[in-house]
Amino acid sequence: MKKFAMAASGGILLGAIATTQIAGPLIAQEAQNNASVYEQLDLFGDVFERIRSEYVEEADETELIEAAIDGMLSSLDPHSSYLSPEDAAEMREQTRGEFGGLGIEVTQEEGFVKVVSPIDGTPADAAGIEAGDFITSVDGENLMGLTLDEAVEMMRGPVGSEITITVVREGVEQPFEVSIVRDTITLTAVRSRIEGTTVVLRLVTFSDQTYPNLEEQLAEKVEEAGGIDNVNGFVIDLRNNPGGLLNQAIAVSDAFLDAGEIVSTRGRTASDGQRWNAREGDLTEGKPIVVLINGGSASASEIVAGALQDHRRAIVVGTKSFGKGSVQTVMPLRGDSAMRLTTQRYYTPSGRSIQSLGISPDIIVPQPRRAPEEATAEDEEETPGFRSESDLRGALDNDSLDDDEVRQIEEDRARAEAAAQLREQDYQLAYAIDILKGLSALGPNAE
């Protein structure tokens, strides 16, 4: 017992000595770091005072401080920034689903303003702006060297006013100008339609309206189709969806999953991590799902695509997504301003981060660019159409089919022709619908 006590006290003593030997340098280093920080703050104060007293023109002190804060935040990553009271109010409007502007989501890449995606039904979309375009100037003023917020500010303006932007596009040799009239952007978070026996759900953004709109429109389209038994599957179209609210991405993913992890986030320390799991209940009742993505699918869109892909709940079709795998927290500051700070990375259920890598589709299907029509109306008139057996004079009738069977064949042919026409309009969507047709043809027990 005495030996044990002595060993224990010896251990305590050695531990105390070791702690002192390690902690001493650490404390000294921390004090040195703090002194360095205070010196840098003093330097900032010196620069600020010199500008106030000696700059060639009188500078606005509030603008100087805001610019310094914004510079500090924007130096961290492309998504951290300072929000003035006006910017903070506008951001709150955007999450509610209505705001003024061109209708494009942008980021900054190596000093250039890059389009993440145009938003459906907006002036930018109508003007032909595409995901991946670079905007180099606004009304003849170069954007190079400006912060992202400064560039965005130049693109804002009164509703009804015109703006001319210079665009650089991959595959196009020369920059070109696009004139756009600013408008109030009212987002319809979800649009839906039926193609044959497939329900197509187009998610435009992830605002407060997204999940309620999705739930409502999915139910409406299933009822319009005559019930879930008459639906062969669902297409969730996330192309050019720039993302939005994390809670909406979780809710949308949960709508198609019965169990399992949806997404996890990890911050600077282990205690900052969070994990979200799906609850029982699948709005599609287990029907096949195809998810469409492209280079304009970012953030919340990638959470949904990654969750459904990892759980093998959906086939992901299209091209690689944008690759924004970080979470921004908006923190209120004094005077109704705020800062948007990157606080976490998010991970798909399999534990993969898509930051800078994006979601890779299960099936890569590029969307062909529309070529200009070269044929004239006269050319079309001179080109004879294809002829079939039924066009021949005196061709025999098919007497093995009754009128109902003939009508059914004609309806099937009309649907096939409609599908072929859809390939001309939207090749990726047509491909997704063809996949669902193939899966339904294999039957419910197919693997």
Side-chain angles (χ1 to χ4, degrees):
M1 186 68 180
K2 289 181 180 179
K3 291 182 180 178
F4 178 79
M6 288 175 65
S9 54
I12 294 169
L13 179 61
L14 290 172
I17 294 171
T19 303
T20 304
Q21 289 175 341
I22 295 170
L26 287 178
I27 293 170
Q29 183 180 359
E30 184 177 352
Q32 185 178 356
N33 290 339
N34 286 339
S36 177
V37 169
Y38 291 132
E39 287 176 4
Q40 294 296 316
L41 289 174
D42 286 341
L43 174 61
F44 172 79
D46 291 342
V47 172
F48 180 71
E49 287 301 326
R50 285 292 182 92
I51 293 172
R52 289 178 66 191
S53 61
E54 299 180 29
Y55 185 63
V56 65
E57 295 178 357
E58 186 176 351
D60 186 299
E61 297 172 358
T62 301
E63 289 182 0
L64 285 175
I65 294 173
E66 287 185 351
I69 295 171
D70 190 40
M72 179 168 55
L73 287 165
S74 61
S75 70
L76 300 173
D77 65 82
H79 307 295
S80 296
S81 63
Y82 172 74
L83 300 172
S84 67
E86 296 78 16
D87 293 339
E90 184 173 342
M91 187 209 63
R92 287 189 288 271
E93 288 178 4
Q94 290 186 24
T95 58
R96 288 195 295 267
E98 182 173 307
F99 58 95
L102 304 180
I104 50 175
E105 178 82 7
V106 294
T107 188
Q108 200 160 38
E109 187 173 292
E110 297 181 357
F112 295 97
V113 176
K114 183 179 182 180
V115 176
V116 175
S117 66
I119 300 170
D120 282 1
T122 62
D125 181 42
I129 300 300
E130 297 181 2
D133 285 348
F134 287 93
I135 300 174
T136 59
S137 64
V138 172
D139 290 333
E141 293 189 40
N142 199 321
L143 299 183
M144 191 64 182
L146 299 182
T147 66
L148 184 60
D149 285 342
E150 288 171 337
V152 169
E153 187 65 32
M154 288 183 65
M155 289 186 272
R156 292 176 180 152
V159 171
S161 61
E162 188 175 23
I163 178 176
T164 300
I165 61 175
T166 303
V167 176
V168 174
R169 178 175 296 167
E170 185 179 358
V172 178
E173 291 186 3
Q174 297 295 327
F176 57 93
E177 293 187 344
V178 179
S179 294
I180 307 175
V181 177
R182 299 180 179 96
D183 199 359
T184 300
I185 311 300
T186 303
L187 295 180
T188 303
V190 180
R191 296 173 181 166
S192 60
R193 69 181 192 269
I194 295 178
E195 291 283 351
T197 56
T198 301
V199 174
V200 180
L201 299 165
R202 167 80 178 119
L203 276 63
V204 179
T205 186
F206 285 87
S207 67
D208 288 332
Q209 309 167 20
T210 302
Y211 178 75
N213 285 179
L214 173 74
E215 185 178 32
E216 179 183 359
Q217 293 193 37
L218 189 150
E220 287 179 0
K221 293 305 174 186
V222 168
E223 183 179 357
E224 185 180 328
I228 195 69
D229 291 339
N230 294 325
V231 175
N232 73 343
F234 294 80
V235 173
I236 304 172
D237 189 351
L238 297 174
R239 291 173 299 175
N240 293 330
N241 183 321
L245 300 178
L246 175 62
N247 66 338
Q248 292 295 306
I250 294 167
V252 169
S253 302
D254 196 2
F256 306 107
L257 294 171
D258 273 321
E261 182 180 308
I262 293 173
V263 66
S264 62
T265 58
R266 303 175 201 171
R268 186 171 177 176
T269 62
S271 60
D272 293 334
Q274 289 182 279
R275 192 180 305 273
W276 289 267
N277 294 314
R279 298 164 296 177
E280 187 175 356
D282 178 356
L283 295 182
T284 67
E285 299 184 24
K287 289 287 184 175
I289 296 173
V290 172
V291 173
L292 281 176
I293 61 171
N294 65 3
S297 306
S299 190
S301 301
E302 295 171 297
I303 290 176
V304 175
L308 299 185
Q309 184 182 54
D310 281 2
H311 284 290
R312 301 176 65 85
R313 182 63 190 90
I315 298 172
V316 179
V317 172
T319 54
K320 184 174 74 70
S321 64
F322 185 75
K324 180 181 177 293
S326 60
V327 178
Q328 283 68 48
T329 302
V330 177
M331 304 174 180
L333 301 174
R334 64 186 67 184
D336 293 328
S337 62
M339 70 174 178
R340 183 169 48 216
L341 187 66
T342 299
T343 53
Q344 296 174 316
R345 288 183 173 90
Y346 68 75
Y347 296 79
T348 69
S350 64
R352 56 183 170 141
S353 168
I354 56 88
Q355 177 62 30
S356 300
L357 298 176
I359 297 291
S360 297
D362 298 308
I363 303 174
I364 296 176
V365 182
Q367 183 82 301
R369 292 186 184 274
R370 293 184 181 178
E373 297 293 333
E374 297 179 357
T376 64
E378 291 80 5
D379 293 333
E380 292 177 359
E381 290 176 2
E382 292 172 2
T383 304
F386 291 105
R387 303 185 74 190
S388 66
E389 170 72 14
S390 62
D391 295 321
L392 301 178
R393 183 178 299 159
L396 298 175
D397 294 331
N398 188 325
D399 57 4
S400 64
L401 302 174
D402 59 29
D403 291 343
D404 289 339
E405 290 172 324
V406 171
R407 189 181 308 109
Q408 183 64 48
I409 290 173
E410 291 175 347
E411 289 175 357
D412 291 342
R413 182 180 296 132
R415 279 194 289 269
E417 290 173 352
Q421 185 177 4
L422 183 61
R423 289 188 193 99
E424 296 294 325
Q425 300 168 356
D426 191 336
Y427 183 79
Q428 289 174 325
L429 178 59
Y431 197 101
I433 291 171
D434 286 343
I435 289 174
L436 291 174
K437 287 179 181 177
L439 290 173
S440 62
L442 291 174
N445 297 321
E447 295 185 357

